[in-house]
Amino acid sequence: MKMRVSLVAAALILGKATFAQSVEDGKRFLYYERYQSAKDAFQKALAGKPNDGEITFWLGQAEMGLKDSVGAKDLYQKVSTNTNDPWALICAGELELKDGKNADARNHFETAISLTKARDANVLAGVAKVNIDVPSGDANYAIEKLNQAIEREKKHVESALYVALGDAYAKLIDGGNAVTNYNNALQADPKYAAAHYKIGLIYETQRNPTQYVPEYEAAIQADPNFAPAYYRLYVHYYSRDVEKSKDYLTQYTAHADPGPLVDQANVDILYASQHFQEAIDKSKALLPNTPDAFKPHYYKLMAYSDDSLRSYNDAKTNIDTYFSHPDDSLTAKNYQEAAHIYYKGGFSQDSIFAFLRKAIAMDTLQANKDAYVQYAAALSDSLHDPVQKAYWVGQVYLMDKEPNPNDLYNWGSQLFTTADTLRARDVQATGISNPYYIKADSVFGMYIDKFPNYSVYGYYWRARANWALDTAMDKGLAVPYFEKMITTATSSKDSATFVQQIEVGLQYMIQYYFKKKDYKNALDYINKFLVYDPTNETFKHYKDVLEKYFARQTGGGGKSGK
């Protein structure tokens, strides 16, 4: 009988040990971002304790690592009504945060903490993790709870707590405090690879490879099994050194769980190696059995590969499919690629420029925004679209934080050119060009105000724009601007450089006064013109005719005046 009791006791002890082992295994797999292995371990543990809130929480984290947010939600909903289990309350709080019910979530988090009398560092860390991971979570609240957890564990603080605290600061875009806490984690355990990895991520957001590459390498040195660091190095070298990228991908594949992310990376490297058709074929083979969350990437990859093969119809189909359900890898450059595909394939011009506007809105680097604008201006030129060209040349000026005279001049000049082009096309004379002449006039007004040293050109083009709006010279819209231009140009120490503009202005004023039958002013401007072009036979003839006319008037030579 005693033997039987001993066997039962041993079985119970062994069962508890196996249960505990599977939970710890699951957490360790999460640390290595081996989400499928973590899921398997937690499922095994949950089979023995179906309603356990903590196991459910961690299983949900594994599901989200596998991009199965629906699976995680289903798990959390099953335990969310258990108000006696702090981890079940954390699950409920996460669901509420994701639904925008922040106040309800906070109540559940506080209740979870109160159930343990704020003495359980793991519960405090779990509350913090949710607030860090969920976009609508409160990073400052997470910092508060993690500091409480660290205070509870002050005799032996695990590196994971410092890394979590670093993550909270990273969410606040406080890189300094984030790195400080990651370093604290390394002081607690120099082999804690995740701390090096997280420091690398901070520097990578700053686009500083001289800092982040060594950190990823240090993570691998600290723990050669830490797969995420291999992945980041694979990504780093992807567009820099494809052979090195392949080497890191091989290491990542060896240390990560088989699954969609590994499959995806191994197809991506085919594209980087310029094996475009192979990348397309492999993508098509994987798509039917790929989880929905991973499918968009394949469509994007195929679009890029099709573009490289100049198969623009297929490229359009695939990039459109990608944009219909984009994944979290969507970047501004993807919109630029779409614009390129549509341009090369001869597809909708409106869509081309709509994609580029999205790229500009999405990108956070001003240099990239400027590049997209320049690219759009070049495309509008190639497409012979003067309206788009005027818009994008204007954007070059408007987006420059320190604009220069050339950019503003180019905008006004392009508006004038666009107006001229539209007028030439407007066989019905509907006046579609007029708004562009008016805008050109306005822009050159700005040019005069902002860059007065170049005002001669500003007045000249204001005059030209107003002349275009009043071709019959009935209103004399260009007169004040030509007068100002002539005065400013002739009095300038650089007047010799403005001869062309002066002559155009004088010619206009001569025509204007002839039309007004103000021959005195007409002769005055003819004399001014002949200073610049004394051999001009046309104006010499007009001068002679007018002088004889005035001589007859002075001498009383009759009524005809001719």
Side-chain angles (χ1 to χ4, degrees):
M1 188 67 175
K2 289 182 180 179
M3 178 65 70
R4 178 179 292 179
V5 172
S6 298
L7 287 172
V8 171
L12 288 170
I13 292 168
L14 182 61
K16 289 180 180 178
T18 302
F19 163 77
Q21 183 180 19
S22 60
V23 172
E24 290 309 309
D25 284 346
K27 290 181 180 179
R28 186 171 68 255
F29 287 132
L30 282 180
Y31 170 78
Y32 286 111
E33 295 187 9
R34 294 182 58 181
Y35 298 115
Q36 185 59 53
S37 294
K39 177 179 176 179
D40 293 343
F42 291 129
Q43 282 182 329
K44 182 178 179 181
L46 194 62
K49 296 184 71 175
N51 298 313
D52 187 89
E54 183 176 6
I55 303 171
T56 299
F57 174 80
W58 290 114
L59 178 55
Q61 298 301 300
E63 294 281 21
M64 284 185 281
L66 292 168
K67 297 188 179 182
D68 186 359
S69 57
V70 174
K73 182 177 181 179
D74 290 343
L75 283 166
Y76 289 174
Q77 284 178 334
K78 288 177 182 177
V79 299
S80 62
T81 57
N82 185 351
T83 57
N84 296 315
D85 184 333
W87 287 96
L89 292 168
I90 294 173
C91 291
E94 178 160 345
L95 291 174
E96 287 160 343
L97 269 187
K98 290 178 176 178
D99 286 340
K101 300 175 182 178
N102 292 34
D104 292 339
R106 180 66 62 89
N107 287 335
H108 276 114
F109 295 144
E110 287 297 318
T111 303
I113 293 168
S114 67
L115 284 176
T116 61
K117 299 182 180 179
R119 294 175 183 172
D120 190 328
N122 289 326
V123 169
L124 290 165
V127 167
K129 178 175 175 55
V130 171
N131 279 275
I132 295 166
D133 292 347
V134 178
S136 60
D138 186 341
N140 286 305
Y141 180 64
I143 290 169
E144 175 190 324
K145 298 310 167 188
L146 286 166
N147 280 324
Q148 288 179 21
I150 290 169
E151 179 62 25
R152 290 288 310 168
E153 303 290 301
K154 59 185 174 183
K155 291 183 180 180
H156 181 67
V157 180
E158 292 186 1
S159 296
L161 287 175
Y162 287 122
V163 166
L165 189 54
D167 291 346
Y169 280 112
K171 183 172 183 175
L172 293 173
I173 317 179
D174 183 348
N177 274 316
V179 171
T180 295
N181 281 286
Y182 297 144
N183 281 323
N184 288 341
L186 289 170
Q187 288 180 3
D189 180 1
K191 295 293 185 181
Y192 201 75
H196 281 299
Y197 173 70
K198 294 296 181 103
I199 294 172
L201 291 178
I202 292 291
Y203 288 123
E204 191 167 357
T205 62
Q206 298 169 1
R207 294 174 172 84
N208 188 350
T210 59
Q211 294 278 9
Y212 69 72
V213 169
E215 290 295 340
Y216 295 146
E217 292 171 339
I220 293 168
Q221 188 174 0
D223 185 349
N225 293 315
F226 194 74
Y230 292 113
Y231 184 82
R232 293 315 310 164
L233 288 167
Y234 145 73
V235 171
H236 168 75
Y237 287 108
Y238 183 83
S239 58
R240 295 174 172 89
D241 184 337
V242 71
E243 292 305 316
K244 227 173 185 180
S245 182
K246 284 180 183 178
D247 290 342
Y248 280 113
L249 178 57
T250 298
Q251 291 296 317
Y252 172 68
T253 302
H255 292 93
D257 280 351
L261 188 59
V262 171
D263 291 340
Q264 208 171 77
N266 279 279
V267 177
D268 280 345
I269 204 68
L270 292 173
Y271 172 81
S273 304
Q274 299 187 23
H275 299 305
F276 304 122
Q277 190 59 53
E278 194 176 347
I280 293 168
D281 294 342
K282 187 69 174 175
S283 296
K284 289 179 178 178
L286 288 168
L287 267 170
N289 298 313
T290 294
D292 288 344
F294 290 87
K295 286 181 177 179
H297 185 85
Y298 286 114
Y299 289 107
K300 179 167 69 174
L301 178 65
M302 288 191 292
Y304 274 72
S305 299
D306 288 324
D307 183 11
S308 298
L309 294 171
R310 300 182 181 179
S311 301
Y312 299 119
N313 286 325
D314 290 338
K316 178 183 181 296
T317 297
N318 283 315
I319 202 67
D320 287 347
T321 302
Y322 173 72
F323 285 137
S324 67
H325 296 287
D327 58 6
D328 56 10
S329 72
L330 174 65
T331 68
K333 289 190 180 298
N334 298 152
Y335 287 117
Q336 184 185 31
E337 171 66 11
H340 173 75
I341 290 169
Y342 269 62
Y343 167 66
K344 297 298 287 185
F347 305 119
S348 164
Q349 288 191 26
D350 288 343
S351 296
I352 292 171
F353 297 110
F355 285 135
L356 290 171
R357 288 187 182 92
K358 288 180 179 179
I360 293 164
M362 187 176 191
D363 210 305
T364 57
L365 281 182
Q366 188 60 44
N368 289 345
K369 290 176 181 285
D370 294 341
Y372 297 137
V373 170
Q374 295 286 357
Y375 180 65
L379 284 188
S380 62
D381 216 14
S382 298
L383 292 165
H384 307 293
D385 189 332
V387 172
Q388 288 288 350
K389 183 70 180 291
Y391 173 81
W392 291 109
V393 172
Q395 291 302 301
V396 171
Y397 170 77
L398 292 170
M399 291 179 63
D400 194 338
K401 293 183 179 178
E402 296 181 2
N404 61 62
N406 285 339
D407 289 342
L408 187 53
Y409 179 89
N410 289 340
W411 184 16
S413 179
Q414 183 57 51
L415 284 163
F416 188 89
T417 300
T418 295
D420 273 357
T421 303
L422 292 175
R423 176 163 288 181
R425 295 177 183 177
D426 189 11
V427 295
Q428 300 297 325
T430 59
I432 60 172
S433 59
N434 288 355
Y436 292 93
Y437 287 123
I438 293 169
K439 184 65 175 177
D441 175 45
S442 174
V443 167
F444 280 112
M446 291 168 53
Y447 184 76
I448 294 166
D449 292 340
K450 290 181 178 294
F451 307 108
N453 290 339
Y454 303 97
S455 61
V456 170
Y457 298 110
Y459 288 123
Y460 175 77
W461 284 106
R462 290 202 76 179
R464 290 285 304 274
N466 280 279
W467 187 0
L469 290 166
D470 179 25
T471 54
M473 301 183 184
D474 293 331
K475 301 175 183 177
L477 297 180
V479 169
Y481 303 112
F482 272 132
E483 286 178 336
K484 191 69 174 176
M485 182 274 293
I486 293 167
T487 301
T488 306
T490 53
S491 62
S492 169
K493 61 182 178 62
D494 300 316
S495 60
T497 65
F498 302 129
V499 171
Q500 181 182 356
Q501 288 78 19
I502 292 170
E503 288 185 352
V504 171
L506 292 171
Q507 288 176 14
Y508 173 88
M509 297 303 291
I510 291 166
Q511 293 178 60
Y512 174 71
Y513 282 115
F514 261 116
K515 184 175 179 60
K516 298 279 288 184
K517 298 183 179 180
D518 183 343
Y519 302 126
K520 183 177 183 303
N521 273 315
L523 179 59
D524 185 37
Y525 278 106
I526 289 173
N527 285 328
K528 290 177 181 178
F529 182 87
L530 290 173
V531 171
Y532 293 93
D533 187 5
T535 63
N536 187 294
E537 294 300 326
T538 300
F539 285 116
K540 284 170 66 177
H541 171 70
Y542 288 153
K543 172 181 169 67
D544 184 55
V545 170
L546 287 176
E547 285 179 342
K548 289 179 180 179
Y549 167 76
F550 284 122
R552 289 195 299 272
Q553 292 288 324
T554 303
K559 297 181 180 179
S560 68
K562 299 192 180 179

